Amino acid sequence: MTAQTCPRQHQRTTMEIASLEPSLYTVKAVFILDNDGHRLLSKYYDTELYPSMKEQKNFENNVFNKTHKADNEIAFVEGMTIVYKCSIDLFFYVVGSAQENELMLMAVLNCLFESLSQILRKNVERRCLLDNMDGVFLVVDEIIDGGVILESDPQQVIQKVNYRLDGSEQAYGFDLFDYIVGNIDGQTDRSQCA
């Protein structure tokens, strides 16, 4: 009887250990809510976690209800490790699995907040965030790609985002437009496009 249970126990512990092994996919989700708990930005990287919009919003409401009056920086909600920060009328959240390193998640959160603070010129509030959503999405995309942390240095993120926002990198849509109209040099009067 013990011979039969040993392989099962060994198999169980091997599977449990495999689920605890480190992974590059550390971030499950990032979202920013206003002081009423309404979503301003959200990106979910694990499609199996909350596959529908309704499930995502329920999760966000649950997280907001448990964190908006707390003075902590870390919460454990629905089996997820969540680090968060509040600024004026915004709440920033980074979500990882239950086994995820809180320091890694906090590095992502700090990078996100500091990068946005520089882009918004230290005016990290709802109105400024909404007026600069293109830059906000670029910041998030420069920090995290598919749940993998790419960058945790705000200066590097700002440098990359400024490069993309300055027009140094021509937008793909205009390249396509130039190709369609036969303009090889890319010197089309873009005011006609708008």
Side-chain angles (χ1 to χ4, degrees):
M1 184 162 173
T2 56
Q4 291 177 346
T5 58
C6 286
R8 288 182 186 166
Q9 288 176 348
H10 177 70
Q11 183 181 15
R12 175 184 283 168
T13 57
T14 305
M15 288 174 43
E16 288 172 357
I17 290 171
S19 69
L20 297 177
E21 287 182 11
S23 169
L24 288 176
Y25 301 97
T26 56
V27 178
K28 301 288 186 187
V30 172
F31 51 91
I32 302 173
L33 307 177
D34 65 10
N35 59 349
D36 295 323
H38 297 115
R39 175 192 286 189
L40 301 176
L41 175 141
S42 72
K43 289 195 92 168
Y44 285 80
Y45 301 103
D46 186 353
T47 56
E48 296 175 7
L49 185 61
Y50 299 103
S52 73
M53 182 77 73
K54 183 179 179 182
E55 290 173 323
Q56 291 174 5
K57 286 191 174 188
N58 286 339
F59 174 69
E60 291 166 12
N61 288 334
N62 192 10
V63 168
F64 179 76
N65 290 334
K66 292 186 180 194
T67 60
H68 78 281
K69 292 182 181 177
D71 291 333
N72 302 328
E73 296 178 334
I74 300 173
F76 299 97
V77 179
E78 297 182 19
M80 296 286 138
T81 302
I82 302 165
V83 294
Y84 61 97
K85 182 179 282 204
C86 174
S87 173
I88 304 173
D89 57 353
L90 297 174
F91 288 86
F92 299 84
Y93 297 94
V94 177
V95 181
S97 67
Q99 300 85 12
E100 198 53 62
N101 185 336
E102 295 90 356
L103 296 175
M104 291 289 290
L105 297 176
M106 191 59 77
V108 171
L109 178 65
N110 288 333
C111 182
L112 173 65
F113 185 81
E114 291 301 320
S115 299
L116 291 179
S117 180
Q118 289 182 27
I119 283 183
L120 302 176
R121 295 182 174 90
K122 307 287 184 199
N123 199 11
V124 185
E125 61 181 349
R126 184 180 189 273
R127 182 177 175 150
C128 285
L129 185 97
L130 291 174
D131 289 343
N132 297 288
M133 282 304 273
D134 54 345
V136 175
F137 278 107
L138 284 175
V139 165
V140 172
D141 289 343
E142 288 296 333
I143 297 171
I144 307 162
D145 183 24
V148 177
I149 300 170
L150 298 178
E151 189 63 63
S152 63
D153 180 12
Q155 296 305 318
Q156 291 294 321
V157 172
I158 293 300
Q159 188 177 28
K160 291 175 185 175
V161 168
N162 283 339
Y163 176 75
R164 292 176 73 179
L165 288 177
D166 282 345
S168 302
E169 183 179 279
Q170 190 177 28
Y172 176 74
F174 288 125
D175 285 339
L176 182 62
F177 179 78
D178 290 337
Y179 176 76
I180 291 171
V181 297
N183 184 7
I184 309 280
D185 298 331
Q187 301 298 324
T188 305
D189 181 12
R190 293 201 170 100
S191 63
Q192 295 174 354
C193 302

